[in-house]
Amino acid sequence: MTILKSIVGGVALLTVSGVAAAFPVNLDSVSGQWVDAVGGQNVTGEGTNQIRWGGSYGNKSGYGFEANPLLPQTINDASPFVLGEFTHYNYEIPSDSAIDSVNLDVYASFSNGGGAVATGPFTFNFLHNETPNNAEVEHEVCGFLCQIFPWVGPHTEITEDGPVDDIVQILFDEAVLSSEFVLDGYVYSLSLLGFEGNATELYTEENGDTSVKLLASLNVSSVPEPGTIGLLGLGLLGLGVLSRKKAA
């Protein structure tokens, strides 16, 4: 049992050491572009870092993406870091002229002491909920006849209750949110965590804009030379067998 514990402990130690050796990694640059918009009218800016939609004249609603201005940045572990800043521009636009969803393609460059790699796109999907410029609300009103003859009952009136915040949602799909790349023999995965503050939705008032940081994390999927772990295990097993023979 002691021998097996030594083998397992040695393999685990090598694995942990391999993951630790995968850091630090430098995030040198980031860029993003909006692609594959679904729905919407007068959509402009696809293939750039700012996409707009809505009417032919005046302000248009839209999304923007700006890379983290503090790059290059050193990533020391799998902790969250700022990938960039997302902005939602919300204006009064004609009915049925908003998009339903759009993808953000992110490109990034990483480096360490063993080399550099430019990778991407990492594709993240954003769902959009364009609410009415003026929300209609139904009220039950007991008028003059209702007050005199209660059996008449109230009637319904519809009033406009003013603009409603539009909603942006990140679609969390593991197949989309996590993408892998290889740097210096290590396999990394870049994952989008969401808006700052663990939020998956963003609300913006009418005729305003909201900016929030997009967070990501870098994880080690596998370490190089996996055969080394097997060789270590065999070596430890051999030492254990030899020790048992000497003891006998």
Side-chain angles (χ1 to χ4, degrees), residues 4-23:
L4 290 177
K5 286 183 178 180
S6 299
I7 295 173
V8 172
V11 172
L13 179 62
L14 181 60
T15 302
V16 172
S17 300
V19 172
F23 292 101

Side-chain angles (χ1 to χ4, degrees), residues 77-192:
D77 50 36
S79 300
F81 62 89
V82 177
L83 190 65
E85 186 174 72
F86 168 82
T87 300
H88 174 214
Y89 307 96
N90 184 22
Y91 292 98
E92 296 183 15
I93 59 176
S95 298
D96 301 321
S97 64
I99 65 169
D100 298 315
S101 66
V102 67
N103 291 336
L104 175 63
D105 277 356
V106 175
Y107 297 83
S109 295
F110 296 91
S111 64
N112 60 13
V117 61
T119 185
F122 305 98
T123 302
F124 308 126
N125 185 244
F126 289 72
L127 301 180
H128 184 76
N129 182 3
E130 185 80 21
T131 56
N133 295 330
N134 280 288
E136 292 184 347
V137 181
E138 292 186 355
H139 303 275
E140 288 192 347
V141 179
C142 187
F144 177 74
L145 291 177
C146 173
Q147 294 178 23
I148 297 178
F149 309 107
W151 59 85
V152 173
H155 66 279
T156 300
E157 289 185 358
I158 298 177
T159 60
E160 292 186 344
D161 201 35
V164 181
D165 294 354
D166 286 353
I167 304 170
V168 181
Q169 179 183 21
I170 296 181
L171 181 62
F172 279 88
D173 182 344
E174 288 301 324
V176 174
L177 290 181
S178 182
S179 300
E180 293 186 340
F181 64 93
V182 178
L183 176 61
D184 196 25
Y186 293 89
V187 180
Y188 300 86
S189 62
L190 176 68
S191 299
L192 184 67

Side-chain angles (χ1 to χ4, degrees), residues 33-49:
Q33 61 182 23
W34 299 99
V35 297
D36 301 328
V38 176
Q41 297 177 11
N42 302 305
V43 178
T44 59
E46 284 202 75
T48 73
N49 69 332

